Protein backbone atom coordinates (compact mmCIF):
# COMPACT_ATOMS: atom_id res chain seq x y z
CA UNK A 1 0.00 0.00 0.00
CA UNK A 2 1.20 3.51 -0.73
CA UNK A 3 0.15 4.38 2.82
CA UNK A 4 2.76 2.07 4.29
CA UNK A 5 5.95 3.93 5.07
CA UNK A 6 8.73 2.10 3.32
CA UNK A 7 12.38 2.62 4.23
CA UNK A 8 14.29 4.72 1.75
CA UNK A 9 15.95 3.08 -1.24
CA UNK A 10 19.61 2.10 -0.76
CA UNK A 11 22.38 4.37 -2.09
CA UNK A 12 23.65 3.73 -5.63
CA UNK A 13 26.94 1.88 -6.20
CA UNK A 14 30.07 4.07 -6.03
CA UNK A 15 30.93 6.11 -9.10
CA UNK A 16 34.20 5.26 -10.84
CA UNK A 17 37.41 7.17 -10.30
CA UNK A 18 36.91 7.94 -6.59
CA UNK A 19 39.93 8.37 -4.36
CA UNK A 20 40.38 5.60 -1.73
CA UNK A 21 39.25 8.08 0.95
CA UNK A 22 36.06 9.02 -0.92
CA UNK A 23 35.37 5.38 -1.78
CA UNK A 24 35.71 4.44 1.92
CA UNK A 25 33.22 7.18 2.91
CA UNK A 26 30.79 6.06 0.19
CA UNK A 27 30.95 2.49 1.58
CA UNK A 28 30.33 3.86 5.07
CA UNK A 29 27.26 5.78 3.88
CA UNK A 30 25.90 2.55 2.34
CA UNK A 31 26.52 0.64 5.61
CA UNK A 32 25.01 3.37 7.80
CA UNK A 33 21.93 3.67 5.57
CA UNK A 34 21.34 -0.08 5.84
CA UNK A 35 21.84 -0.18 9.63
CA UNK A 36 20.15 3.01 10.83
CA UNK A 37 16.59 1.80 10.29
CA UNK A 38 16.94 -0.69 13.16
CA UNK A 39 19.02 1.53 15.47
CA UNK A 40 17.81 3.63 18.36
CA UNK A 41 19.31 7.07 19.11
CA UNK A 42 21.91 5.64 21.51
CA UNK A 43 23.08 3.17 18.85
CA UNK A 44 23.24 5.93 16.24
CA UNK A 45 25.52 8.08 18.40
CA UNK A 46 27.50 5.07 19.64
CA UNK A 47 26.83 5.75 23.34
CA UNK A 48 25.38 3.57 26.12
CA UNK A 49 21.88 4.27 27.48
CA UNK A 50 23.55 5.47 30.71
CA UNK A 51 25.68 8.09 28.87
CA UNK A 52 25.87 11.56 30.42
CA UNK A 53 24.70 14.63 28.53
CA UNK A 54 28.33 15.64 28.12
CA UNK A 55 29.24 12.25 26.59
CA UNK A 56 26.29 12.53 24.18
CA UNK A 57 27.31 16.04 23.10
CA UNK A 58 30.90 14.94 22.58
CA UNK A 59 29.79 11.92 20.49
CA UNK A 60 27.48 14.12 18.40
CA UNK A 61 30.07 16.82 17.67
CA UNK A 62 32.56 14.10 16.74
CA UNK A 63 30.04 12.89 14.14
CA UNK A 64 29.33 16.44 12.93
CA UNK A 65 32.95 16.83 11.81
CA UNK A 66 32.60 13.83 9.52
CA UNK A 67 28.91 13.73 8.56
CA UNK A 68 27.75 17.33 8.17
CA UNK A 69 26.21 17.54 4.66
CA UNK A 70 28.14 20.77 3.94
CA UNK A 71 31.34 18.74 4.14
CA UNK A 72 30.30 16.33 1.37
CA UNK A 73 32.66 16.99 -1.59
CA UNK A 74 31.37 17.42 -5.16
CA UNK A 75 32.64 13.94 -6.11
CA UNK A 76 30.14 12.42 -3.65
CA UNK A 77 27.10 14.49 -4.69
CA UNK A 78 25.21 11.31 -5.73
CA UNK A 79 25.03 10.19 -2.09
CA UNK A 80 24.56 13.61 -0.47
CA UNK A 81 20.83 13.02 0.17
CA UNK A 82 21.73 9.86 2.12
CA UNK A 83 24.25 11.82 4.18
CA UNK A 84 21.48 14.43 4.81
CA UNK A 85 19.18 11.69 6.11
CA UNK A 86 21.83 10.12 8.36
CA UNK A 87 22.90 13.50 9.74
CA UNK A 88 19.24 14.37 10.38
CA UNK A 89 18.96 11.28 12.58
CA UNK A 90 22.17 12.16 14.44
CA UNK A 91 20.81 15.65 15.14
CA UNK A 92 17.43 14.31 16.28
CA UNK A 93 19.25 11.82 18.53
CA UNK A 94 21.35 14.61 20.08
CA UNK A 95 18.36 16.94 20.58
CA UNK A 96 16.27 14.17 22.20
CA UNK A 97 18.95 12.69 24.43
CA UNK A 98 20.26 16.03 25.76
CA UNK A 99 16.75 17.13 26.81
CA UNK A 100 15.94 15.52 30.17
CA UNK A 101 12.16 15.21 29.59
CA UNK A 102 12.45 13.98 26.01
CA UNK A 103 15.18 11.52 27.00
CA UNK A 104 13.05 9.96 29.76
CA UNK A 105 10.10 9.41 27.40
CA UNK A 106 12.37 8.15 24.64
CA UNK A 107 14.18 5.70 26.93
CA UNK A 108 10.82 4.18 27.93
CA UNK A 109 10.01 3.74 24.24
CA UNK A 110 13.36 1.97 23.67
CA UNK A 111 12.77 -0.31 26.69
CA UNK A 112 9.41 -1.28 25.15
CA UNK A 113 11.14 -2.27 21.91
CA UNK A 114 10.58 0.99 19.99
CA UNK A 115 12.65 4.06 19.30
CA UNK A 116 13.98 3.04 15.87
CA UNK A 117 12.99 4.59 12.51
CA UNK A 118 11.39 1.27 11.53
CA UNK A 119 9.34 1.07 14.77
CA UNK A 120 8.29 4.73 14.37
CA UNK A 121 7.06 4.04 10.83
CA UNK A 122 5.09 1.01 11.97
CA UNK A 123 3.48 2.97 14.83
CA UNK A 124 2.56 5.84 12.48
CA UNK A 125 0.98 3.34 10.05
CA UNK A 126 -1.11 1.81 12.86
CA UNK A 127 -2.30 5.28 13.93
CA UNK A 128 -3.25 6.11 10.32
CA UNK A 129 -5.10 2.80 9.99
CA UNK A 130 -7.07 3.54 13.17
CA UNK A 131 -8.04 6.96 11.80
CA UNK A 132 -9.18 5.39 8.51
CA UNK A 133 -11.29 2.91 10.43
CA UNK A 134 -12.90 5.69 12.49
CA UNK A 135 -13.86 7.51 9.29
CA UNK A 136 -15.19 4.25 7.83
CA UNK A 137 -17.36 3.64 10.90
CA UNK A 138 -18.93 7.10 10.50
CA UNK A 139 -19.79 6.21 6.88
CA UNK A 140 -21.17 2.81 7.95
CA UNK A 141 -23.53 4.58 10.39
CA UNK A 142 -24.65 6.78 7.48
CA UNK A 143 -25.09 3.61 5.40
CA UNK A 144 -22.48 4.84 2.90
CA UNK A 145 -21.01 1.36 2.48
CA UNK A 146 -19.32 2.17 -0.81
CA UNK A 147 -17.33 5.02 0.78
CA UNK A 148 -16.55 2.90 3.84
CA UNK A 149 -15.24 0.03 1.69
CA UNK A 150 -12.12 1.88 0.46
CA UNK A 151 -11.26 3.16 3.93
CA UNK A 152 -11.64 -0.26 5.55
CA UNK A 153 -9.52 -1.86 2.81
CA UNK A 154 -6.77 0.72 3.39
CA UNK A 155 -6.94 0.23 7.16
CA UNK A 156 -6.66 -3.55 6.74
CA UNK A 157 -3.78 -3.25 4.30
CA UNK A 158 -1.90 -1.02 6.75
CA UNK A 159 -2.71 -2.98 9.91
CA UNK A 160 -3.92 -6.54 9.19
CA UNK A 161 -3.93 -7.39 12.92
CA UNK A 162 -6.90 -5.11 13.70
CA UNK A 163 -9.94 -7.24 14.63
CA UNK A 164 -12.28 -4.21 14.36
CA UNK A 165 -11.22 -3.66 10.75
CA UNK A 166 -11.90 -7.30 9.80
CA UNK A 167 -15.34 -7.12 11.45
CA UNK A 168 -16.13 -3.84 9.67
CA UNK A 169 -14.98 -5.35 6.36
CA UNK A 170 -17.38 -8.28 6.77
CA UNK A 171 -20.28 -5.89 7.46
CA UNK A 172 -19.44 -3.52 4.60
CA UNK A 173 -19.24 -6.44 2.14
CA UNK A 174 -22.59 -7.76 3.38
CA UNK A 175 -24.23 -4.38 2.72
CA UNK A 176 -22.75 -3.72 -0.72
CA UNK A 177 -24.59 -4.52 -3.94
CA UNK A 178 -23.83 -8.01 -5.21
CA UNK A 179 -23.08 -9.16 -1.66
CA UNK A 180 -24.48 -12.66 -2.17
CA UNK A 181 -21.55 -13.58 -4.42
CA UNK A 182 -19.02 -12.80 -1.67
CA UNK A 183 -20.46 -14.84 1.18
CA UNK A 184 -17.27 -16.85 1.71
CA UNK A 185 -15.20 -13.64 1.91
CA UNK A 186 -17.62 -12.04 4.43
CA UNK A 187 -17.58 -15.08 6.71
CA UNK A 188 -13.79 -15.32 6.45
CA UNK A 189 -13.46 -11.66 7.52
CA UNK A 190 -15.79 -12.15 10.51
CA UNK A 191 -13.95 -15.36 11.46
CA UNK A 192 -10.60 -13.58 11.21
CA UNK A 193 -11.85 -10.85 13.57
CA UNK A 194 -12.95 -13.54 16.05
CA UNK A 195 -9.62 -15.36 15.74
CA UNK A 196 -7.87 -12.11 16.70
CA UNK A 197 -10.33 -11.25 19.47
CA UNK A 198 -12.41 -14.20 20.63
CA UNK A 199 -15.13 -12.15 22.38
CA UNK A 200 -15.55 -9.54 19.64
CA UNK A 201 -19.30 -8.82 20.03
CA UNK A 202 -19.76 -7.08 16.69
CA UNK A 203 -17.90 -9.77 14.76
CA UNK A 204 -20.14 -12.44 16.31
CA UNK A 205 -23.26 -10.35 15.62
CA UNK A 206 -22.26 -9.60 12.01
CA UNK A 207 -21.42 -13.27 11.42
CA UNK A 208 -24.83 -14.30 12.73
CA UNK A 209 -26.64 -11.81 10.48
CA UNK A 210 -24.53 -12.83 7.45
Amino acid sequence: SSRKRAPSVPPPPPTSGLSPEHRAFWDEVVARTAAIDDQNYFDMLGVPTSASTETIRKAYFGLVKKWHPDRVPAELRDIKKFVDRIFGYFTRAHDTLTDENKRGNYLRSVQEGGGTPKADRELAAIVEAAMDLQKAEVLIRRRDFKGAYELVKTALDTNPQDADAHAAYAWVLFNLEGASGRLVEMLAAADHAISLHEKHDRAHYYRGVI
Side-chain angles (χ1 to χ4, degrees), residues 49-161:
T49 52
S50 58
S52 67
T53 301
E54 188 53 41
T55 300
I56 289 161
R57 286 208 175 100
K58 208 174 281 182
Y60 173 68
F61 287 113
L63 290 164
V64 168
K65 288 174 192 169
K66 181 174 184 176
W67 288 91
H68 197 288
D70 290 350
R71 300 177 72 96
V72 176
E75 298 92 321
L76 302 179
R77 61 184 170 275
D78 288 349
I79 55 161
K80 185 175 182 297
K81 69 175 183 179
F82 297 95
V83 177
D84 285 339
R85 179 173 179 259
I86 292 164
F87 185 71
Y89 278 127
F90 291 158
T91 302
R92 227 172 298 163
H94 167 266
D95 294 350
T96 301
L97 300 183
T98 54
D99 178 306
E100 207 172 305
N101 291 333
K102 286 182 185 172
R103 179 173 175 165
N105 291 332
Y106 180 74
L107 190 52
R108 277 192 291 280
S109 173
V110 170
Q111 287 162 345
E112 289 163 8
T116 65
K118 184 180 177 183
D120 289 346
R121 273 199 315 277
E122 287 169 356
L123 179 62
I126 288 168
V127 169
E128 281 187 22
M131 287 170 68
D132 280 335
L133 190 56
Q134 281 179 354
K135 290 175 197 167
E137 284 171 349
V138 170
L139 295 180
I140 289 168
R141 285 196 291 276
R142 292 179 187 161
R143 302 198 64 77
D144 177 2
F145 296 107
K146 202 171 178 184
Y149 176 81
E150 289 303 328
L151 286 165
V152 174
K153 281 285 284 179
T154 305
L156 272 177
D157 191 38
T158 310
N159 183 19
Q161 295 306 306

Side-chain angles (χ1 to χ4, degrees), residues 133 156 159-168 189-190 192-194 196-197 200 203:
L133 190 56
L156 272 177
N159 183 19
Q161 295 306 306
D162 188 340
D164 290 346
H166 285 284
H192 200 142
I194 293 162
L196 291 167
H197 180 19
H200 198 292

Side-chain angles (χ1 to χ4, degrees), residues 20-36:
E21 186 189 355
H22 287 165
R23 172 65 198 252
F25 184 66
W26 193 299
D27 290 341
E28 201 174 337
V29 172
V30 171
R32 280 274 190 177
T33 301
I36 212 161

